[in-house]
């Protein structure tokens, strides 16, 4: 993944950060046995995905051209001359 710059965009970082905060909120409220807070945290997770998608649509994500497969070099053929 390092060669394709997967996820190195403001849209990806923002969406994942918001979703992570949502998971933390949901986990804390789950431990406290508060269902309303748990579901609020899950809503934050969904909001993080939506915000990431919107930012990507606004041009802050990876361009469509960047999803081309990586070109690998062809192995050289060994010449067996005797």
């Amino acid at each position: 993944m390092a060669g394709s710059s997967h996820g190195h965009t403001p849209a990806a970082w923002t969406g994942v950060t918001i979703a992570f905060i949502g998971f933390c909120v949901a986990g804390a409220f789950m431990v406290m046995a508060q269902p309303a807070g748990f579901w609020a945290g899950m809503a934050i997770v969904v909001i993080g995905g939506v915000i990431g998608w919107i930012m990507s649509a606004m041009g802050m994500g990876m361009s469509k051209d960047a999803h081309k497969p990586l070109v690998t070099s062809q192995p050289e053929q060994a010449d067996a001359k005797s």
Side-chain angles (χ1 to χ4, degrees):
M1 282 196 224
S4 66
S5 297
H6 178 75
H8 294 254
T9 63
W13 280 100
T14 304
V16 169
T17 300
I18 294 171
F20 177 72
I21 291 169
F23 277 115
C24 291
V25 168
F29 279 103
M30 183 171 57
V31 170
M32 292 186 286
Q34 299 291 326
F38 168 78
W39 289 111
M42 290 286 94
I44 294 171
V45 171
V46 172
I47 289 169
V50 170
I51 289 175
W53 177 73
I54 289 171
M55 287 179 70
S56 180
M58 291 173 57
M60 296 181 192
M62 191 173 286
S63 65
K64 298 290 182 186
D65 297 345
H67 294 285
K68 294 178 184 174
L70 295 175
V71 177
T72 58
S73 61
Q74 298 293 330
E76 294 182 22
Q77 298 292 329
D79 292 331
K81 295 181 181 178
S82 330

